[in-house]
Amino acid sequence: MNEAHLAAMPPDGFPADPSGTTGLDPFVLREDLRRVPVPIDQFGSWRMQGLTFALLVVVPIVCTALYYGLVAAGKYSVEFRFSVRSAAELVADEDNLALLIKAGKPGPHEIGRLPYMAADYLRSRNVVRELDQDGWLRSVFSREQADWLSRFDPTKSDDDLWLYWRDMININVDRVSGLVLVRVLAFTPDDALALARATAVSAEKMIDSIAMREHRDALFLAEQDLERASRHYSAVLSALRDVRNQEGTVDPERTIKSSTETLLGVLREKLSLERDRDANLKVLSADAPQQKVLSDQIRALGSQLASLTEGLTSHRKDAKNAAQSIAQFEKQELEVRFSKRLLEAAQASYERARQESERRHVYFALFVEPKRPEIAEYPRRARSVAFAGVCAFSLWSVIMLAAAGIRDHKIEH
């Protein structure tokens, strides 16, 4: 800094012309426009920084330490673990028709979904309503042992109780093994143990209800299939009876066999009379009475033979023959046999569904039972105070940096 600058500066070391009549920043030298270090008292003092540090950092830490050290009530944690297992074994059915009957039906319940369903149920409003049917859950969370900040107000709504319940329960499901870990909190050891046992009972009831509903649905579907098969079998039997009444016979093959034997007998008799008639022509004339009688008998047998032949093999569209009768009977008998087979398969499926509904296939396996805690696991006081201190110091640092940046921006402009 040269002599002209020193002469122009006031005694306290600030640059000249602070009024700004020259149009220059009061903290910028006139010749080289280089900034002169500004005293800290111009923008803020260490006293202000200390005051803000005390208000934003020290006071929250002290309040947090007082609350967790003197006021906060202990929360006792009880955990239990369970899994969902199935005792059903899938056995291959060798009956192809039974497989066709069972096609389209819902298969065995996927056991892998039940743990997630149980976890969602334990977080739902339904389990809160079940546990709080007589106000027991509200009384557990509003004990005198709880501090005023953690205690639940029993006059609040069910939705508030549900939100409070979600803070007092923690559920983890292992995606690989399907094991479920449930941890509940309460303000006394006995309440924590009772709450864990009640939660386990609720989860078991939910799983059992799902399994029972599945078996009821399977039995209902099997019963419907049996009713349809029975109605179809009855309809086919009625159709076969109508065909027998229409044809006038019970066994068309036996009727045709009898008609064939009759036709052959008539044909043999006609041939015998024709031989006799031809033999008599050697000694008698064609107009002889014996010859006329033989001719009349031959014509009568011919008419009978034509009628029998037409009944067996007629090519007229309006006439029924034996082939048509046999085809109609075979069609109805085939439908009867197939309907009977369907009915047998439906009966077997219904019987299996009934037996399955009487057995228990899904089990709630509680392999880690809840135990009464001896010490309060929460709150973790030192960790909570340290976390509050870190958050408060971070907030104070951000505010200080933001304030310094704002002042710096104003000075430049």
Side-chain angles (χ1 to χ4, degrees), residues 170-206:
N170 184 23
I171 305 173
N172 292 320
V173 181
D174 190 349
R175 295 184 177 181
V176 178
S177 60
L179 303 180
V180 184
L181 168 63
V182 182
R183 181 181 289 109
V184 295
L185 300 177
F187 297 105
T188 63
D190 295 333
D191 286 343
L193 179 60
L195 186 58
R197 289 176 176 174
T199 305
V201 171
S202 298
E204 185 176 6
K205 288 181 179 179
M206 188 275 300

Side-chain angles (χ1 to χ4, degrees), residues 27-72:
F27 301 104
V28 179
L29 298 178
R30 293 180 178 86
E31 285 77 6
D32 52 8
L33 299 179
R34 290 179 299 176
R35 187 174 299 279
V36 177
V38 181
I40 191 170
D41 289 339
Q42 182 67 22
F43 305 106
S45 62
W46 286 107
R47 185 184 308 169
M48 181 61 65
Q49 294 180 6
L51 180 61
T52 56
F53 182 83
L55 291 176
L56 298 179
V57 180
V58 176
V59 171
I61 292 177
V62 172
C63 293
T64 304
L66 291 176
Y67 172 74
Y68 283 105
L70 302 177
V71 179

